Amino acid sequence: MNSSHTRIRAIDVGRGLAVFLMIMVHTLWMYADVATQTQSTFGHIIHFIGKGSAAFLMCMGISMVMSRNQGLRSAIIRAGLLLLIGNGMNFLKFVVPIAVFGTMPENFIAAYGWEAPLSFAQLRWLTLTGDILQLAGFALIFVALARRFIHSRYTLLAIALLIAAVSRELSGLRVDIPGLYYLSELLFGGNYHVYFPVFPWMSFIFIGLFIGMSFKQTSRTPQEVFAGALAIGVTALLIGGGLCLLYPEYHFGNFFHLGPGGVLYLAGINLVLLWLINRLVKDQTDNAITRFLEYLSRRVTMLYVIQWTLICWGMGIIGYQTLNAWQTAAMMPVMIALSLAVQAGFERLPRLLTAARRVKALQAS
């Protein structure tokens, strides 16, 4: 097995695992009651699993290095597409159940401090919520610029650390100029209108760039590269974890708006995780589990939209944060299965439409 295959396989398996686990995490966030989320062992475990978001972003960075489409023009086009998909997803998950179906639970709307019916401005606010797809879109442009002018992998790692170092100080920065206000929110958002602000979350993508450049610029094997990532990960975990313990409010005020210690802590966890995944798959032949995870990895964007939409639409039946631990655990495989079923349906749709046209043509003849 050549190193390229091993490398890509480890990345795809890691990203596929992140896709699988994120459905479980989002199910917990929207369906589990407050006690389950904050006081139960089950809730704490699933919340910890949610820290794997950084692994997905690192895999994204590694894949960007390996991608053939690295030009700035291509990056801008793909960035615009991701922004459209992200806002379209927000429309589906929020506006449709609120304004079209009329099924969104009142306590979900009340969590924003609002009352139904919502105004156009409130619906627009929800549509423009910053999520991981918006982060990925902006990151594509920054990464394309970095790849064009920066050729040292250590400079890329230094940029990742610099982003982490300044993000807490820049958090909440807003430019009160029409057209730039929303942009500044996506870049530096410090509230829950933006869940994944570019600063600091782009740090993880640049760490992935560093790993990807280590593959391309050196003759080291994947095992040696991931061993180096492990050493960096353990160091980051110890330093970041220590900072979070000493100054928790500044370094890990909340999961989405991190300080430098929080970034190092999550980076450490996920670098160790990537090393472990590589260890598990490097000598394995293809099997049902790895094929399934690679399947998820190749459909990450579509599945992200599908699962969030289904979970939010499902609140019309289940309610918002109403289930205990056992009920939430039972809903997780249901939401995974539904998401995969809808994905499969979309994949079969072109063939069904083609078959229908052929039947219609035969009938007409």
Side-chain angles (χ1 to χ4, degrees), residues 130-160:
D131 206 297
I132 204 165
L133 294 178
Q134 287 85 348
L135 161 67
F138 274 98
L140 278 173
I141 299 174
F142 283 106
V143 167
L145 290 170
R147 295 280 291 119
R148 186 168 184 173
F149 298 107
I150 299 172
H151 305 291
S152 167
R153 67 184 188 277
Y154 292 106
T155 303
L156 295 173
L157 183 60
I159 291 174

Side-chain angles (χ1 to χ4, degrees), residues 179-331:
L180 295 181
Y181 181 86
Y182 180 58
L183 173 62
S184 64
E185 277 201 316
L186 291 176
L187 292 175
F188 311 113
N191 58 37
Y192 288 103
H193 190 211
V194 176
Y195 286 88
F196 291 93
V198 174
F199 291 79
W201 285 92
M202 193 166 61
S203 293
F204 302 108
I205 298 175
F206 270 82
I207 292 172
L209 291 177
F210 167 77
I211 298 173
M213 293 288 280
S214 297
F215 282 116
K216 293 196 74 171
Q217 293 183 345
T218 70
S219 58
R220 292 187 295 173
T221 65
Q223 286 69 41
E224 290 171 331
V225 171
F226 280 112
L230 174 65
I232 295 173
V234 171
T235 303
L237 181 58
L238 292 175
I239 295 173
L243 290 172
C244 291
L245 287 173
L246 290 173
Y247 309 102
E249 186 60 32
Y250 184 84
H251 290 283
F252 210 113
N254 63 70
F255 173 72
F256 296 105
H257 307 97
L258 301 166
V263 172
L264 290 174
Y265 170 66
L266 289 188
I269 291 174
N270 286 279
L271 285 170
V272 172
L273 177 62
L274 287 177
W275 170 82
L276 180 61
I277 290 172
N278 183 67
R279 290 277 296 179
L280 292 174
V281 304
K282 68 182 182 70
D283 295 322
Q284 290 288 326
T285 57
D286 285 339
N287 56 63
I289 295 175
T290 56
R291 286 195 297 271
F292 174 65
L293 294 176
E294 289 168 348
Y295 170 88
L296 297 181
S297 177
R298 292 190 296 271
R299 293 156 177 82
V300 56
T301 302
M302 189 69 173
L303 279 169
Y304 191 82
V305 173
I306 289 171
Q307 55 88 34
W308 254 136
T309 301
L310 291 177
I311 288 171
C312 287
W313 288 9
M315 287 194 292
I317 301 171
I318 295 166
Y320 173 58
Q321 296 185 347
T322 60
L323 304 184
N324 61 33
W326 288 106
Q327 292 168 331
T328 304
M331 280 304 302

Side-chain angles (χ1 to χ4, degrees), residues 86-157:
N87 290 338
M89 179 189 73
N90 289 337
F91 183 86
L92 286 173
K93 65 188 275 199
F94 294 133
V95 178
V96 169
I98 292 173
V100 180
F101 298 159
T103 56
M104 189 65 84
E106 291 183 7
N107 63 331
F108 176 83
I109 295 173
Y112 287 90
W114 298 337
E115 293 181 359
L118 299 187
S119 66
F120 173 79
Q122 289 169 325
L123 293 173
R124 181 182 61 187
W125 192 91
L126 289 171
T127 301
L128 295 177
T129 298
D131 206 297
I132 204 165
L133 294 178
Q134 287 85 348
L135 161 67
F138 274 98
L140 278 173
I141 299 174
F142 283 106
V143 167
L145 290 170
R147 295 280 291 119
R148 186 168 184 173
F149 298 107
I150 299 172
H151 305 291
S152 167
R153 67 184 188 277
Y154 292 106
T155 303
L156 295 173
L157 183 60

